[in-house]
Amino acid sequence: MNFSKSKGILAYFAVAAVILVFLIFGFRSLMKGADTTTFSDVIAHFDDYSVSEFSLNLGSGELKYKLSGGDDVYVYKVPSVSAFYNELFNETRNYRDEYNETHEIPLKYDLIPASNSSFWLNLIPTLLMIGVMIFVVISMSRSISSAGKISTVGKANVKPELDSKNKVTFADVAGADEEKAELQEIVDLLKNPKKYQDIGAKIPKGVLLVGPPGNGKTLLAKAVAGEAGVPFFSISGSDFLELYVGVGAARVRDLFDQAKKAAPSIIFIDEIDAVGRRRGAGLGGGHDEREQTLNQLLVEMDGFEVNNSVIVMAATNRRDVLDPALLRPGRFDRQVYVNYPDIKGREEILKVHSKNKPLAPDVDLKQVAAATAGFTGADLANLINEAALMAVKADRKAITAKDLSEASIKVIAGPEKKSRVVLEQEKKLTAYHEAGHAICHYYCPTQDKVSEVSIIPRGQAGGYTMALPDHDKSYASKSEMTEEIVTLLGGRAAEKVVLDDISTGASNDLERATKIARSMVTKYGFSDKLGPIVYGRDEDEVFLGRDYNSDRSYSEVIAGEIDAELRALIHGAYDRAIAILSEHIDQLHTVAKYLITHEKINGDQFMRLMNGEDLEAEERAAKEAEESTIRQAVDEAHEDAHEEDSTTKHDSDRQNYPYGDDGWLDISNDSEPGKKSE
């Protein structure tokens, strides 16, 4: 704090002190002015022997007294306790004895000894006033020093992980073997820089981790720092941006200064696209706060200063919006693409996340990995956690295969809504809709096998048809994408074929089918008429937003031809779906009726229905056999019980009725029990 600021604060303290003194003395004068009783008035009451009860605090001098015949309590603070006491109790006078001689009811009095509590009680008002004034002064000083806070805004909000006990290593990262091999070299450079310097190799300035969200980019960066054993400075890209102009650039400088002091070290910028977007795309031209921050970052990474011992790592899932100057060699020398894990990687990830969780013997993680194609590492971690929650809810001590299967569906489609009231008409429509999807899947050879069909609402869907791939796919052919459109339109086609009506339930199917068809025509060159040409640019206006003021890069004639090709693809797939369902209408009815009754079909049941097996008859036969077994067991139990009751009753009769000379007594007709019939 400079001298002028100190003088201002001292002036405020002086003013506050003057106000405080004035308030204290004013408060005391007001207190004194409020008391109109005089000492002579109090003594006169005692001289008249009209005081029947009193108490005197020998420390504070507070006198409380009552007059004869009254219940009012009078309070007075005597100026001198000793003088007042000598006035009542001296060698010539004893007020108590004189009062008791003239009154039937003796005097009640209490002399309270002096204590420190009275001092603190008297001090409370003063302390309260002082507290109020201190609060006011602090508030004023904060307002004065608000300008000084601006100097601290430029500090980077980063927490270096120097002595972290829970360091992440490559052993904690699964399903990214190639990525770990690429980053292992960075670790070796940090551990043994000399052998690289001897041969003239330079340490990379930066490593950019690119890939879809949830695949472990941040985890890989932490693993590099943990393996190398160097300080790790982590910060988000949005932390550089602030209201004040120039703060972002100042924070970049401060971040690199901290990293240089702790070198060798690693700087990790998560979501770098927040600060590293392409320059010159904003409404304000090239002079805005974000671009100044980016310019400073470019200078720090590859400017006039040499940062041989500081490696910058960054993560983003939007590489397309980054500034080209940021991506060139010398800044981000390496770009590591962290893609979706394959089946082997998914199995390894599942093993990592289930390491401390008990698994039932029926759990096969390899099978779970095969059924979760397209899952990210975060999805798999969520899958294991959801399965564990389901096991706890069911009061099981281990996670079963059923828990994992249900959790995988829950992660994809959401939880079941069994309590939702569904009309029979809507239930029938949903059953035929999902059956249409499933039948089209079955008769499209390039599509995956149906694993489950359900008409129980999940999330925003009234039902779902799940088809899981048998293996990971790297590419998609024209026939595969065409038949995928057929399966998507199978639900709408089933509604049209069976119910002769259509509903809004196929809105998401139509959206997905249209998106696939447009990609086939404009992106992948699958149209014979338009040829292998990409129409339209896949570039976004990085500041103004997607497709804002964008250039289509093709004429209106081509746009019409694109629309015609889209219609041809969609209509062709729709006609094929109707043809498939019309040809196999019996199977459509069978699957739909089974869904209406049971609400859910697994993959094995679906295949048996498609093979012509009568599951309903088998279930009825199994149910009848079970009921027959139960009835037989009940009948046998009744017979055993009847025989036992007969034996017991026979013994009971022999005990209750006496014997005569001719055997049992006849108690029929009008004869009385215990009497022999005539």
Side-chain angles (χ1 to χ4, degrees):
M1 188 178 293
N2 56 31
F3 182 70
S4 60
K5 293 179 182 177
S6 301
K7 287 178 63 179
I9 293 176
L10 289 175
Y12 272 105
F13 270 107
V15 173
V18 172
I19 295 173
L20 178 62
V21 171
F22 174 78
L23 290 175
I24 292 174
F25 282 98
F27 181 74
R28 288 182 175 179
S29 63
L30 289 174
M31 291 182 62
K32 291 179 180 179
D35 189 8
T36 59
T37 305
T38 62
F39 184 71
S40 59
D41 295 335
V42 175
I43 295 298
H45 289 307
F46 281 93
D47 291 340
D48 297 338
Y49 299 99
S50 57
V51 178
S52 61
E53 182 179 347
F54 75 91
S55 65
L56 176 64
N57 192 314
L58 300 178
S60 63
E62 184 183 50
L63 174 67
K64 296 180 181 179
Y65 62 94
K66 290 183 180 180
L67 301 178
S68 301
D71 295 328
D72 296 335
V73 179
Y74 300 90
V75 181
Y76 178 76
K77 188 174 183 179
V78 298
S80 175
V81 176
S82 58
F84 179 77
Y85 184 81
N86 292 329
E87 182 71 24
L88 299 181
F89 304 96
N90 51 54
E91 296 180 354
T92 61
R93 183 185 182 187
N94 189 316
Y95 181 80
R96 181 190 63 185
D97 296 340
E98 294 175 357
Y99 181 88
N100 293 337
E101 290 177 358
T102 57
H103 294 78
E104 296 180 358
I105 301 174
L107 175 69
K108 297 180 181 179
Y109 74 98
D110 186 18
L111 300 177
I112 303 172
S115 62
N116 294 329
S117 62
S118 60
F119 172 76
W120 293 108
L121 289 174
N122 293 331
L123 195 62
I124 287 176
T126 304
L127 293 176
L128 289 175
M129 296 298 295
I130 293 174
V132 171
M133 295 308 303
I134 291 175
F135 175 77
V136 172
V137 171
I138 291 175
S139 301
M140 291 179 178
S141 62
R142 285 181 177 178
S143 62
I144 292 174
S145 61
S146 59
K149 284 188 175 182
I150 298 179
S151 61
T152 63
V153 173
K155 300 293 182 181
N157 187 20
V158 61
K159 295 182 180 179
E161 300 180 7
L162 301 174
D163 301 319
S164 179
K165 296 181 180 179
N166 300 320
K167 286 187 177 180
V168 180
T169 62
F170 283 148
D172 301 315
V173 183
D177 295 338
E178 290 78 9
E179 292 82 355
K180 288 192 289 186
E182 186 76 14
L183 296 173
Q184 184 64 47
E185 187 176 337
I186 304 296
V187 175
D188 193 42
L189 281 167
L190 291 170
K191 284 186 174 181
N192 307 299
K194 191 175 183 305
K195 67 178 182 179
Y196 293 92
Q197 293 172 0
D198 293 342
I199 204 171
K202 294 183 179 179
I203 188 169
K205 296 289 186 64
V207 179
L208 182 64
L209 302 174
V210 186
N215 284 319
K217 299 185 292 293
T218 305
L219 188 64
L220 277 169
K222 290 183 178 180
V224 171
E227 290 285 341
V230 298
F232 182 74
F233 297 85
S234 177
I235 193 171
S236 174
S238 60
D239 289 338
F240 292 110
L241 305 179
E242 190 61 69
L243 175 65
Y244 305 107
V245 177
V247 171
R251 288 180 176 177
V252 171
R253 289 191 294 270
D254 182 69
L255 173 63
F256 278 84
D257 290 340
Q258 294 184 47
K260 291 173 187 176
K261 292 177 182 178
S265 59
I266 294 176
I267 294 175
F268 177 66
I269 305 174
D270 200 9
E271 306 296 343
I272 194 174
D273 53 276
V275 69
R277 287 176 175 254
R278 189 178 294 114
R279 292 169 292 179
L283 293 173
H287 190 74
D288 63 16
E289 172 63 13
R290 182 182 54 80
E291 294 192 3
Q292 292 183 29
T293 305
L294 176 58
N295 291 336
Q296 185 63 44
L297 180 62
L298 296 175
V299 171
E300 291 289 344
M301 291 188 68
D302 189 24
F304 292 102
E305 295 186 11
V306 180
N307 300 326
N308 288 330
S309 301
V310 178
I311 294 179
V312 181
M313 298 186 70
T316 181
N317 52 15
R318 294 295 310 276
R319 183 191 177 278
D320 57 313
V321 304
L322 295 180
D323 193 276
L326 195 62
L327 300 176
R328 74 160 176 83
R331 292 192 173 104
F332 283 110
D333 304 278
R334 294 190 178 182
Q335 297 183 23
V336 180
Y337 191 81
V338 187
N339 206 348
Y340 292 98
D342 56 8
I343 184 171
K344 181 182 176 183
R346 291 194 297 273
E347 185 180 358
E348 293 176 356
I349 294 172
L350 288 169
K351 288 180 180 178
V352 169
H353 291 294
S354 62
K355 183 167 55 179
N356 299 322
K357 298 177 177 64
L359 301 178
D362 62 341
V363 174
D364 186 1
L365 293 181
K366 188 174 182 180
Q367 185 177 358
V368 177
T372 52
F375 276 48
T376 65
D379 292 332
L380 295 171
N382 188 31
L383 169 65
I384 294 293
N385 187 61
E386 288 289 345
L389 294 176
M390 289 181 180
V392 173
K393 190 181 296 183
D395 199 21
R396 288 190 288 270
K397 301 298 182 182
I399 301 172
T400 63
K402 183 180 179 182
D403 295 329
L404 289 169
S405 177
E406 178 64 23
S408 64
I409 302 173
K410 185 178 180 180
V411 170
I412 297 173
E416 287 186 344
K417 298 181 179 180
K418 295 182 179 180
S419 61
R420 179 183 295 180
V421 179
V422 182
L423 301 177
E424 288 296 326
Q425 185 179 357
E426 294 182 355
K427 190 175 183 180
K428 180 180 179 182
L429 185 145
T430 306
Y432 276 100
H433 184 100
E434 300 302 334
H437 285 307
I439 298 257
C440 289
H441 265 283
Y442 183 82
Y443 286 104
C444 290
T446 63
Q447 298 302 294
D448 302 319
K449 294 181 179 180
V450 175
S451 64
E452 186 171 301
V453 185
S454 174
I455 61 173
I456 301 174
R458 280 184 179 269
Q460 297 181 352
Y464 63 90
T465 300
M466 184 174 294
L468 299 176
D470 297 329
H471 57 277
D472 295 330
K473 298 179 181 179
S474 301
Y475 307 99
S477 64
K478 180 180 179 181
S479 59
E480 289 176 350
M481 297 183 74
T482 303
E483 290 189 345
E484 186 176 357
I485 298 175
V486 173
T487 60
L488 288 171
L489 298 177
R492 167 63 63 88
E495 296 178 15
K496 183 66 176 177
V497 170
V498 178
L499 306 174
D500 196 22
D501 197 4
I502 54 178
S503 69
T504 60
S507 60
N508 183 254
D509 299 331
L510 298 178
E511 183 180 349
R512 292 166 60 191
T514 305
K515 185 177 180 180
I516 294 172
R518 184 173 294 277
S519 298
M520 291 175 64
V521 175
T522 63
K523 188 175 181 180
Y524 302 123
F526 287 167
S527 173
D528 295 332
K529 185 177 181 180
L530 295 174
I533 302 174
V534 176
Y535 296 97
R537 296 183 220 160
D538 195 18
E539 296 180 0
D540 303 328
E541 298 292 339
V542 297
F543 184 77
L544 298 178
R546 183 182 295 270
D547 297 332
Y548 184 88
N549 197 26
S550 61
D551 185 10
R552 292 189 305 185
S553 73
Y554 52 84
S555 65
E556 293 293 335
V557 176
I558 297 297
E561 293 181 358
I562 291 173
D563 293 339
E565 286 293 292
L566 286 178
R567 286 196 298 270
L569 277 173
I570 297 295
H571 286 300
Y574 186 66
D575 293 339
R576 184 179 174 186
I578 289 180
I580 291 173
L581 297 177
S582 300
E583 184 180 354
H584 306 282
I585 189 69
D586 294 336
Q587 292 176 319
L588 177 63
H589 287 305
T590 301
V591 175
K593 289 179 181 178
Y594 194 88
L595 277 173
I596 293 173
T597 305
H598 298 83
E599 296 185 336
K600 189 181 291 186
I601 303 175
N602 59 35
D604 181 62
Q605 291 172 332
F606 176 74
M607 294 301 296
R608 292 173 63 189
L609 287 173
M610 297 303 293
N611 292 330
E613 299 183 26
D614 191 353
L615 297 185
E616 294 283 356
E618 294 180 5
E619 291 176 359
R620 285 196 299 269
K623 187 176 181 180
E624 289 176 358
E626 184 180 359
E627 291 177 352
S628 177
T629 303
I630 294 174
R631 283 196 300 270
Q632 185 177 356
V634 170
D635 292 339
E636 292 177 355
H638 284 171
E639 290 178 0
D640 295 339
H642 182 69
E643 293 177 359
E644 185 178 354
D645 290 343
S646 299
T647 305
T648 304
K649 185 177 185 304
H650 180 73
D651 295 339
S652 176
D653 290 341
R654 292 175 65 90
Q655 292 175 3
N656 293 334
Y657 300 104
Y659 289 99
D661 296 336
D662 54 352
W664 290 98
L665 294 179
D666 185 9
I667 58 173
S668 60
N669 299 328
D670 296 331
S671 59
E672 297 179 5
K675 293 184 178 181
K676 197 171 183 180
S677 300
E678 298 289 339

